[in-house]
Amino acid sequence: MHNHWGGSLEIAADSTVEDEKSRNNLDWDRASLANQGYNGNLDQTQQSWLLGPPEKKKKKYVDLGCIVCSRKVFKWTILSILIAFVVIGLPIIIAKAIPKHKRPPPPPDNYTVALRKALLFFNAQKSGKLPKNNGIPWRGDSGLQDGSDLTEVKGGLVGGYYDAGDNSKFHFPMSFAMTMLSWSVIEYEHKYREIGEYNHVRDLIKWGTDYLLLTFNSSATKIDKIYSQVGGSQNGSTTPDDHTCWQRPEDMDYPRPVQTTTTGPELAGEMAAAMAAASILFRDNNAYSKKLRKGAETVFAFARDGGRRNRYSRGNPFIEPYYNSTGYYDEYMWGSAWLFYATGNNTYLSLATNPGMSSNSKAFYMIPDLSVLSWDNKLPAAMLVLVRARLFLNPGYPYEDMLKSYHNVTGLTMCSYLRRYNVFNFTQGGMIQLNHGKAQNLQYTANAAFLASIFADYLNETGVPGWYCGSNFMSISVLKDFATSQINYILGDNPAKMSYVVGFGTKFPRHVHHRAASIPTDRTKYSCSGGMRWRDAKTPNPHNITGAMVGGPDRFDKFKDVRTNYSYTEPTLAGNAGLVAALVSLTTSGGVGIDKNSIFAAVPPLYPVSPPPPPPWKP
C-alpha cells in the first residue's frame, strides 16, 4: 500500500478497524470541544493532532477556450497590454487624429514657370469666337467675317491664330507652330500632365488644326487649291489693312482679303506635318485623329503633285515680303516623316529616305544656314525626327544607309551649335547668332535649344552617352548645357538682366509691339489711324501679353524696349512654339526624358513577328 505522505507503509490486517475507530472518535472529540466552548490553548503538537498537515493553496486558472493559463499570468498580460496602449498606442491615435498640414510640393523650376506663361501667349493670339475660359480678359471675339465671301467654305475662315503684333493670319508659320507644339506634347506628355498643362496645350493645338481643316476641302481625297492667308498688307500701301491700321482685332473694320494658292508644296507639306503630328496626339479621339490623318494625306498629295511645285509665296505681294519660302524639299522630308509615324505606311518612310530628298534639300552639304531650324527651314528637324526611327525602331534595309547619313549630319549640326567650333558667332553675353547678327534672333535660338535638348534625350533613352564631333567624343551633358545656357539667356541671364518673355521675372519688355496689348479696353473703338496714338505712346502697354517672347536683343546684347521698333519688341507665333518646346524639354517637373513609344502607336512591326515556340513534345 502506498502512503500519500511519502514512502510505503506495511500495516497489520486489523489495523483498518482501529484506524476507523480513531477517526470517528476524532470527529466526535472536535465537535464536542467546539460545543463545550473550549478555549484552552493547544500546543503545536496538539494542534497538529487536531488539524492534520497544513493544506496547500490551490492555483487558480483562466480558461480562454483554446488555452488555459494562470489567472495571475493572465492579469499581468492584460495589465502589460493596457500600459503599452497608454504609452505607445494612445499617442499614435492622438497624433493621427490631429489635422495635418500636407507638406507642400517642391516649387516648380523656372522652366515650368516660364512654360505656363509661354502657353498663355497662344490664348492671346486666338482669332474667332473665343471660349469663355480663354483666360485673357482683354481679348474678345474677332475676325468673325473672315472668309465670309467664300462660297465654298461654310461659315468662312473663322478661327486660327494671329501671327504676331498685327492681325494677319499666315497659314505657313501657323502650321509650323502647331507641328512644334504637337511634337513637344508627343515627346513630353508626362511633363505637361505633371504641371497641369496637358489639356491646355491640347486645346491650343486643336484650335489651330480645326482652323487648318477649313483652309482646304478636307472631305475630298484630291484638292486643287489651299487658302494660304487671311488679312495682311502690301508694302507701300496707303489703304487700310493689317499694317497701316493700329486697331484691336475686335475693332477691325477694314477689308481682310483671303489669299488662295493653286501651288505650294512647302505650305501643303507643313500643313500635312501639322495635322499628322496632331493625329498622333489625339489618338484617344479616334474620329478626330482619323479626320486629321485624312486631311494630312490629302494636302500632302497636293504638295507632291508635279504640276504644283511652285513656291506658294512666289509673286504674291501679300506673302513674299513676310513669309517667303526658299524651298520645299525640307517640307517633303518633314511631312513624310510625320505621315509615316501617323499612318504606319512605309511608303512615306521610303520617300523621306529617298536619295533625291537629301540631294534636292542639300541635306549633306553642311551649309551652316541649313542647320538652323525655322518656319522656313525644317531640314535639321526632319533629319532628327527620322533619326528617331533609326534609334528606336532600327528599320534596317533599305532605310539604314540614308538614316545613318541623317544621323551623322544631325551629330554635325549639334557640333555646329557648340562655341568651340566657331561655326556660328556668339554675343559677348553668350547668345548664339543663328541669323548672321540680324534682328529677331531669339526664335532661332529657342529652336536650336530644343533640337539639342531632345537629341540628348534620344541618346540618353538608348543608353548612348554622347556623340562624336570629329575625333572628339562629346557627352550628352554638353548638349543640355548648351540648351540651358540659351534658354537661361532668354529668361534673364544676359547683360541686360532682362527676361525677354513677358511676365517672367520682374524686368521684362513693357512696350511690346502688339496692337491688342497696346490699346486699352476702355469701350472706345479707335479708328484705323486713331489707334496710332497708342502705337506711338511712350507709356507701357495697358495689357501685358503674358508669355510672349519678343524678337530679342541685337548682336551686341543691346535691347530697346520701344513699341515702334518691332525688330526688338514683336513676338511671333512660330517663335513662341519653339520656346514652349525647349522649355518643356528642360523642365524637371514630371521627371526627365521622353515618351519613347507613343510616337510609334500607329507603326506596325517592320519585320514579321516571330512565331510562338512549338508545344513541348509528348511521347
Side-chain angles (χ1 to χ4, degrees):
M1 185 174 186
H2 186 270
N3 177 19
H4 71 275
W5 297 110
S8 60
L9 180 63
E10 296 294 333
I11 55 176
D14 60 347
S15 64
T16 303
V17 178
E18 293 297 329
D19 188 52
E20 187 69 28
K21 290 180 180 180
S22 297
R23 278 201 291 269
N24 291 338
N25 290 334
L26 180 59
D27 292 338
W28 182 88
D29 288 341
R30 283 180 180 170
S32 65
L33 286 172
N35 291 336
Q36 294 176 13
Y38 180 75
N39 294 321
N41 293 325
L42 301 177
D43 59 27
Q44 289 182 354
T45 302
Q46 291 172 323
Q47 289 179 18
S48 67
W49 289 344
L50 295 174
L51 301 176
E55 294 183 5
K56 287 185 179 181
K57 192 172 183 179
K58 292 183 179 180
K59 290 184 179 181
K60 296 182 179 179
Y61 295 91
V62 177
D63 188 349
L64 299 177
C66 59
I67 189 171
V68 178
C69 67
S70 166
R71 181 179 291 182
K72 186 175 182 181
V73 172
F74 178 74
K75 285 182 179 179
W76 277 108
T77 301
I78 295 299
L79 185 60
S80 299
I81 292 172
L82 289 173
I83 292 172
F85 174 77
V86 172
V87 173
I88 300 173
L90 196 58
I92 293 175
I93 292 173
I94 293 172
K96 295 229 179 240
I98 296 174
K100 291 183 179 179
H101 296 288
K102 291 184 178 179
R103 181 179 294 179
D109 57 30
N110 283 340
Y111 303 131
T112 297
V113 175
L115 173 59
R116 286 173 172 153
K117 294 180 182 297
L119 289 170
L120 287 174
F121 171 74
F122 290 88
N123 294 68
Q125 294 300 101
K126 284 182 179 179
S127 177
K129 189 168 182 61
L130 303 184
K132 293 182 179 179
N133 64 346
N134 192 49
I136 310 296
W138 45 272
R139 282 299 326 281
D141 298 344
S142 64
L144 300 182
Q145 299 302 311
D146 285 353
S148 58
D149 57 340
L150 300 175
T151 58
E152 297 179 356
V153 183
K154 185 178 180 180
L157 296 174
V158 177
Y161 291 95
Y162 299 117
D163 178 66
D166 51 33
N167 298 330
S168 303
K169 295 192 293 192
F170 293 97
H171 301 169
F172 189 37
M174 186 194 303
S175 298
F176 173 71
M178 295 305 103
T179 311
M180 291 293 286
L181 289 182
S182 292
W183 188 11
S184 75
V185 182
I186 291 167
E187 302 284 12
Y188 300 107
E189 177 180 328
H190 54 291
K191 295 189 179 186
Y192 279 109
R193 287 187 180 276
E194 178 66 22
I195 66 173
E197 293 290 345
Y198 179 67
N199 291 331
H200 181 198
V201 71
R202 276 171 59 110
D203 288 344
L204 295 176
I205 293 167
K206 191 173 186 298
W207 190 268
T209 52
D210 282 350
Y211 178 75
L212 292 179
L213 288 168
L214 299 177
T215 63
F216 66 101
N217 186 357
S218 58
S219 63
T221 56
K222 187 173 182 179
I223 58 175
D224 58 5
K225 63 184 175 184
I226 296 175
Y227 301 113
S228 55
Q229 181 175 317
V230 177
S233 64
Q234 299 184 64
N235 278 339
S237 171
T238 57
T239 59
D241 58 30
D242 282 342
H243 282 192
T244 59
C245 289
W246 195 268
Q247 283 182 301
R248 298 173 66 244
E250 293 79 1
D251 298 335
M252 293 183 297
D253 55 6
Y254 50 83
R256 289 171 56 76
V258 175
Q259 304 302 313
T260 305
T261 182
T262 55
T263 65
E266 65 287 272
L267 171 62
E270 183 57 68
M271 289 174 62
M275 288 184 282
S279 75
I280 300 171
L281 172 62
F282 289 106
R283 62 191 180 279
D284 57 341
N285 182 344
N286 186 58
Y288 189 61
S289 181
K290 184 177 179 180
K291 186 176 183 179
L292 289 171
R293 282 197 304 273
K294 182 179 182 299
E297 293 190 285
T298 297
V299 292
F300 197 72
F302 176 92
R304 291 288 294 158
D305 189 329
R308 303 185 185 279
R309 295 189 182 182
N310 285 324
R311 292 179 290 114
Y312 92 109
S313 57
R314 185 176 181 179
N316 189 321
F318 286 90
I319 301 176
E320 202 166 31
Y322 309 105
Y323 285 102
N324 182 45
S325 169
T326 57
Y328 52 82
Y329 278 93
D330 54 321
E331 277 85 15
Y332 279 169
M333 289 176 60
W334 182 235
S336 57
W338 281 111
L339 277 164
F340 166 65
Y341 291 135
T343 66
N345 186 339
N346 288 353
T347 302
Y348 293 114
L349 182 58
S350 296
L351 175 62
T353 55
N354 186 296
M357 288 292 114
S358 58
S359 176
N360 286 292
S361 64
K362 300 180 174 60
F364 304 149
Y365 284 37
M366 293 314 301
I367 300 172
D369 285 353
L370 295 183
S371 65
V372 179
L373 174 61
S374 72
W375 54 265
D376 181 39
N377 176 42
K378 323 299 164 39
L379 186 60
M383 287 191 286
L384 179 54
V385 82
L386 287 165
V387 167
R388 197 190 201 288
R390 181 176 191 243
L391 291 172
F392 298 106
L393 294 182
N394 190 26
Y397 180 83
Y399 315 108
E400 171 60 18
D401 286 348
M402 193 59 66
L403 290 178
K404 183 179 180 181
S405 297
Y406 290 162
H407 197 162
N408 291 337
V409 173
T410 297
L412 293 174
T413 294
M414 299 302 158
C415 298
S416 74
Y417 295 159
L418 304 181
R419 197 166 190 168
R420 70 188 73 183
Y421 293 109
N422 299 313
V423 176
F424 296 100
N425 293 328
F426 283 72
T427 66
Q428 287 190 348
M431 176 182 67
I432 189 171
Q433 298 181 58
L434 296 168
N435 64 336
H436 306 283
K438 297 177 183 177
Q440 299 176 313
N441 185 73
L442 291 187
Q443 58 181 309
Y444 310 106
T445 302
N447 287 341
F450 173 62
L451 293 186
S453 181
I454 199 170
F455 183 57
D457 285 340
Y458 286 173
L459 295 180
N460 186 61
E461 194 68 31
T462 54
V464 177
W467 86 109
Y468 278 94
C469 291
S471 59
N472 299 320
F473 182 79
M474 313 299 291
S475 168
I476 56 178
S477 63
V478 174
L479 288 174
K480 287 291 185 180
D481 289 344
F482 165 76
T484 55
S485 71
Q486 297 307 301
I487 296 302
N488 288 349
Y489 182 101
I490 293 172
L491 297 181
D493 186 12
N494 53 62
K497 301 302 177 187
M498 170 176 277
S499 164
Y500 295 117
V501 176
V502 176
F504 182 84
T506 56
K507 185 181 180 183
F508 51 82
R510 305 280 181 166
H511 303 78
V512 179
H513 183 93
H514 194 274
R515 285 160 175 75
S518 65
I519 300 175
T521 50
D522 55 5
R523 298 185 179 180
T524 300
K525 180 178 178 179
Y526 295 94
S527 66
C528 177
S529 58
M532 292 297 180
R533 59 174 286 199
W534 300 110
R535 184 197 69 177
D536 301 333
K538 305 299 182 184
T539 55
N541 287 354
H543 309 295
N544 281 326
I545 182 164
T546 301
M549 181 182 71
V550 297
D554 61 22
R555 60 194 178 95
F556 302 108
D557 298 306
K558 302 296 183 182
F559 180 79
K560 296 179 181 179
D561 190 8
V562 178
R563 192 178 298 109
T564 53
N565 196 330
Y566 62 88
S567 295
Y568 291 104
T569 60
E570 186 171 24
T572 65
L573 206 65
N576 252 66
L579 174 67
V580 166
L583 288 170
V584 74
S585 75
L586 292 175
T587 181
T588 56
S589 298
V592 296
I594 59 167
D595 181 337
K596 185 168 67 174
N597 297 317
S598 288
I599 197 171
F600 303 129
V603 178
L606 295 174
Y607 307 103
V609 179
S610 300
W617 180 82
K618 292 181 180 180

